[in-house]
Amino acid sequence: MGMAEHALKYTPDIDHTTPELRTQDTRIEITTRKRRVTSLRKPAQISEAIDFWSLAGAAANVVMQLGWPEVAYGVMESKVESGALMKHPWKRARTTSQYLAVAVLGTDEEKEAFREAVNSAHRHVKSDAQSPVKYNAFNRELQMWVAACLFIGVEDSHQLLHGVMDEADAEEFYQSAKTLGTTLQVPDDMWPATRKDFDHYWNVACQRVVIDDTTCDFMNDLVDLKMINPLIRLPFVNLLRFLTIGFLPPLFHRQLGLEWTEDDRRRFQHLFTFVSIVNKFLPKVIRQGGTRILMKDLQYRMRHHKDMI
């Protein structure tokens, strides 16, 4: 059964499918103009976008990943207790953030070591006879969907801070992001060749987003950050909920019954305008300090043969 699930086909032939959804449904609306104050940086490389603010939509990104039922039930039914999202949220956050860092900044050796660590956990993530959907964490289509969600999250946060990229910059940024998928099981030729091809893939793939009652309850707990200690959560819950809903596309608002008005959207973008002004005064060593710490942690774990995830 494991091999059959591994080979399951979920999406139709992308090249010959006309999306039923439009980008207005599947992406958040960003109208931020490109800012001069950040133009001296290298906005067209994803390595420049992996900083503290790229994690602002982390909870929303998990919700998006769980939009595919197979990913949702793979997480909700996971037998890997040490990585359970609701039981160990900080460890799960560290692992995901570290994956982003390694995929973008890591050496081939570091990527290989992290891939094997993830694979060790994924070997236990597969459906059984009681599962409502069939899944296997090694399935490349499921991994492609998760990688695509990660790309969307980083690109959105980057454009909110630096302004909407023109076509050439968007293409360069996209090409630099391929390792988000290929660091695991997504082969080079499965990652859409161009930014335009990716948009087409994304709109087709979003047609598979189906949130049943069980998943909806789980996701709403995520949006409300129920997995975090109340003493930590309560002072920040309104801001974090606002950020999480703001990073979710309209498709997810509808399926989760979340309200998001045009006024909310403007406040969301104004928040990032303020953040971008603060950000321009921060040196790179501070902006990307968290990412560098995650890489140092990985290197320490590799040297001392400690568990990576």
Side-chain angles (χ1 to χ4, degrees), residues 83-299:
L85 177 58
M86 288 302 184
K87 293 180 180 177
H88 304 285
W90 299 114
K91 181 180 179 183
R92 186 68 182 242
R94 190 263 297 169
T95 301
T96 302
S97 302
Q98 203 158 41
Y99 174 75
L100 271 172
V102 173
V104 174
L105 303 174
T107 64
D108 289 344
E109 181 186 5
E110 288 163 352
K111 288 175 184 174
E112 178 59 37
F114 204 83
R115 179 188 297 121
E116 184 49 44
V118 173
N119 287 349
S120 295
H122 278 178
R123 289 187 182 101
H124 305 284
V125 182
K126 53 188 176 182
S127 55
D128 56 30
Q130 282 72 48
S131 303
V133 292
K134 289 188 179 296
Y135 60 84
N136 186 308
F138 281 99
N139 183 278
R140 289 175 174 178
E141 283 193 71
L142 300 184
Q143 291 198 9
M144 176 64 211
W145 167 253
V146 170
C149 290
L150 291 174
F151 169 73
I152 294 286
V154 176
E155 187 187 64
D156 283 349
S157 62
H158 185 71
Q159 292 194 117
L160 282 164
L161 283 173
H162 301 287
V164 176
M165 290 181 279
D166 61 28
E167 195 170 323
D169 278 353
E171 184 66 37
E172 185 179 345
F173 188 89
Y174 172 71
Q175 294 299 337
S176 72
K178 182 183 292 189
T179 53
L180 292 180
T182 57
T183 296
L184 287 181
Q185 265 77 41
V186 178
D188 263 23
D189 60 1
M190 192 172 183
W191 188 260
T194 67
R195 184 66 182 72
K196 185 176 179 181
D197 292 332
F198 178 85
D199 284 343
H200 178 77
Y201 160 81
W202 180 252
N203 286 340
V204 172
C206 279
Q207 292 171 196
R208 295 202 71 255
V209 172
V210 177
I211 300 172
D212 63 19
D213 290 344
T214 303
T215 311
C216 187
D217 290 343
F218 188 84
M219 286 185 179
N220 274 301
D221 283 349
L222 268 178
V223 171
D224 290 329
L225 302 172
K226 292 286 183 66
M227 66 286 195
I228 297 175
N229 185 302
L231 292 177
I232 300 173
R233 182 180 78 240
L234 289 177
F236 306 105
V237 67
N238 289 335
L239 172 62
L240 295 175
R241 179 181 171 84
F242 180 72
L243 285 172
T244 299
I245 298 175
F247 273 102
L248 288 173
L251 168 66
F252 289 86
H253 294 162
R254 292 195 297 269
Q255 293 218 25
L256 289 168
L258 298 171
E259 183 180 358
W260 187 253
T261 66
E262 180 60 20
D263 283 345
D264 289 330
R265 188 191 71 79
R266 281 196 291 265
R267 286 194 297 125
F268 182 73
Q269 290 204 169
H270 289 161
L271 171 63
F272 279 90
T273 298
F274 170 75
V275 167
S276 72
I277 293 170
V278 175
N279 221 35
K280 75 174 182 176
F281 295 108
L282 297 178
K284 186 175 180 178
V285 68
I286 294 177
R287 286 186 292 112
Q288 296 196 342
T291 304
R292 303 295 172 181
I293 290 170
L294 287 170
M295 290 302 299
K296 293 290 185 185
D297 176 69
L298 174 73
Q299 291 154 4

